[in-house]
Amino acid sequence: MFDVQAFGDSALAFLVAFVAAGVFTVVFKIVYQAVTPYDEAKLIREGNVAAAIALGGAVVGYVLPLASALSHTVSLLEFAAWALLAGVIQIAAFTLVRFTVLKDLIDRIEKAELAAGVYLASISLAVGLLNAACMTS
């Protein structure tokens, strides 16, 4: 038998989690774009695929640990703490790549160099996967 009350409770919990994750994702994207020294929105509007790949990788790299946190946390506050940590780690990864591995990253992204965009996206995804795997408590 279909339990309408249980479904309603579960659906409400789903909506709260989904909306919270969506809000955290939008906030992360805004903060990430503020931290990067180039204007992703402008570059993407101009057709810069490298910028789109790099930003897309960062967003997916952030959402991966959010998905893990959603399945391992028991409260919205705990989820928010993991979401904040995931964002900090993702931004730290960008900063590390920018200042150590690809010191000319800004120039390369602005010149639409696909190799730089793919590399940055790959690092973001790898960091996100590791971040998600570490969120098991």
Side-chain angles (χ1 to χ4, degrees):
M1 181 120 210
F2 183 69
D3 186 345
V4 174
Q5 180 64 39
F7 176 78
D9 292 345
S10 295
L12 180 60
F14 164 83
L15 287 173
V16 168
F18 190 84
V19 168
V23 168
F24 280 114
T25 302
V26 169
V27 169
F28 168 77
K29 183 179 172 285
I30 291 167
V31 171
Y32 185 87
Q33 288 181 275
V35 169
T36 58
Y38 43 84
D39 186 348
E40 282 100 341
K42 177 181 173 278
L43 293 172
I44 292 167
R45 277 193 304 275
E46 293 171 352
N48 186 318
V49 177
I53 290 170
L55 180 59
V59 171
V60 174
Y62 176 71
V63 170
L64 287 167
L66 287 192
S68 179
L70 282 170
S71 64
H72 290 101
T73 58
V74 294
S75 72
L76 193 55
L77 185 59
E78 184 182 5
F79 172 69
W82 285 116
L84 177 64
L85 180 59
V88 168
I89 290 172
Q90 199 61 248
I91 290 170
F94 168 81
T95 304
L96 185 66
V97 168
R98 177 182 171 205
F99 288 115
T100 62
V101 181
L102 288 178
K103 294 179 182 177
D104 60 346
L105 175 68
I106 298 160
D107 213 29
R108 293 172 77 173
I109 293 291
E110 287 176 339
K111 290 179 181 175
E113 188 177 310
L114 280 179
V118 170
Y119 181 76
L120 186 56
S122 298
I123 294 296
S124 296
L125 292 171
V127 167
L129 282 169
L130 290 174
N131 199 356
C134 292
M135 293 183 180
T136 58
S137 58

